[in-house]
Amino acid sequence: MALEAGRGQLALGPRGFTVALLKRDMSGFGALPASAVWSPAGRKTNAKGRMVLCGEGEAMTCVDVGDRTLWRVPGGGVLYRTPAMADGAVYVLDRFFGLVAVDADSGQRRWTLRDDSGIASSPVAGVGVVYFADNAGCLTAVDAATGDVRWKWRPRWSKMSTPAVADHLVYAASHDGRMWAVDGLTGRPVWNVRVADHRTSGNPPPAVAHGVLYTAVGGHVLALDTATGSRRWDVFPRGGVRQTPTVAGGSVYVGNDEGLVAMGEERWRLETRGEVCSTPVVADGIVYVGSRDDFLYAIHT
């Protein structure tokens, strides 16, 4: 499930559907089986806010916040996983496990990368570089302008999970229970620390804010120093956590089998009738999250 906040709208994907909603009154104006990524107003990609929808078995479609279609690219198959958008381009996986760069203004394809191992994770965009984990467990850096592979790296005895990037460092958990920081320019490890005492897989990408790395591994939520990897705190909320934490206003928000939790130390808990399997979104002092009970929740922080 994907949940993204745009300019005056939300996009979420309950059970494979993305719905754009007006935040003021929660009225819906469209739905597609999709994942979504927002490009807010003021970025180079556009003058107005826009959303790119990548639907399973559908084309990739770009719409503005008024639900007007700007362009549509026939997918020819399955376009899936959450795309990344940066510097005028959208990066998305296609049905052949290749990485495709599409011009965000015109919808024209810029380049396609066919990785020998196939791509296992959603892409993440840094400054001039796109990163992903392949099916062999390697972190891979690709030139955002050309699609050329800059480097590949993996630890000797394990595979890597979906990465995150901040300040030219790439952070990702390995399946042997370690968190790694890798230089985004060279692919050389900077530090690694143990974050779980057992093997893990399918780890979500971490979140980075104000010099702290927040990650969910083995059901725990950990806060690590981005420079050294030293542990600041480690919490196991009731129900565990399997999604990327959201950091806003000095709080960390996570969803799990039982609902939504606001933590550092636990501040409050909202129980829902279904699993919260999306990463929460915070905007204008309100936390938005979708649940498998078919409801979208808006909670004052």
Side-chain angles (χ1 to χ4, degrees):
M1 181 186 291
L3 179 59
E4 301 286 343
R7 189 181 181 185
Q9 281 78 26
L10 293 175
L12 73 157
R15 297 183 180 178
F17 280 78
T18 291
V19 184
L21 299 158
L22 298 177
K23 287 194 293 189
R24 182 173 299 174
D25 60 6
M26 292 297 108
S27 59
F29 66 76
L32 285 172
S35 58
V37 60
W38 275 101
S39 173
R43 289 192 181 178
K44 295 179 181 178
T45 51
N46 57 290
K48 300 179 180 178
R50 67 178 52 172
M51 179 171 65
V52 177
L53 303 175
C54 297
E56 184 174 344
E58 299 287 340
M60 180 162 61
T61 306
C62 181
V63 300
D64 64 17
V65 295
D67 198 28
R68 179 172 61 95
T69 298
L70 302 179
W71 49 258
R72 183 178 175 86
V73 178
V78 177
L79 289 168
Y80 67 105
R81 296 193 183 273
T82 303
M85 182 181 284
D87 298 325
V90 180
Y91 305 95
V92 65
L93 304 190
D94 66 11
R95 64 170 177 162
F96 301 108
F97 298 95
L99 180 64
V100 179
V102 177
D103 188 278
D105 290 320
S106 66
Q108 295 296 311
R109 185 172 298 210
R110 293 183 177 180
W111 49 258
T112 300
L113 172 68
R114 300 292 179 209
D115 189 84
D116 291 341
S117 300
I119 300 174
S121 74
S122 296
V124 294
V127 180
V129 188
V130 181
Y131 303 94
F132 59 83
D134 68 17
N135 285 321
C138 294
L139 285 180
T140 304
V142 176
D143 189 287
T146 65
D148 295 333
V149 175
R150 291 189 177 182
W151 54 258
K152 280 181 173 285
W153 178 86
R154 60 168 286 183
R156 180 175 296 179
W157 304 114
S158 188
K159 295 183 177 182
M160 301 298 286
S161 299
T162 304
V165 59
D167 299 324
H168 301 291
L169 285 178
V170 182
Y171 303 95
S174 55
H175 294 187
D176 61 355
R178 305 194 73 83
M179 177 62 66
W180 294 80
V182 177
D183 189 299
L185 300 178
T186 66
R188 295 176 180 173
V190 177
W191 55 256
N192 74 91
V193 295
R194 180 161 293 282
V195 291
D197 57 6
H198 53 84
R199 294 189 64 83
T200 62
S201 61
N203 301 300
V208 180
H210 309 299
V212 182
L213 178 77
Y214 301 91
T215 185
V217 179
H220 291 247
V221 181
L222 299 93
L224 308 176
D225 187 280
T226 55
T228 64
S230 60
R231 188 173 304 193
R232 297 194 176 186
W233 49 258
D234 179 347
V235 177
F236 187 88
R238 190 180 74 229
V241 176
R242 294 190 298 273
Q243 303 297 328
T244 300
T246 296
V247 185
S251 293
V252 181
Y253 302 93
V254 294
N256 63 14
D257 293 346
E258 299 186 357
L260 179 67
V261 182
M263 62 170 52
E265 295 181 356
E266 186 171 319
R267 294 177 49 232
W268 51 258
R269 173 184 294 268
L270 172 72
E271 293 188 1
T272 60
R273 296 183 179 180
E275 177 188 5
V276 172
C277 53
S278 64
T279 297
V281 165
V282 181
D284 302 326
I286 298 176
V287 186
Y288 301 91
V289 70
S291 168
R292 287 195 181 275
D293 61 9
D294 295 330
F295 281 89
L296 170 68
Y297 293 85
I299 307 102
H300 286 286
T301 59

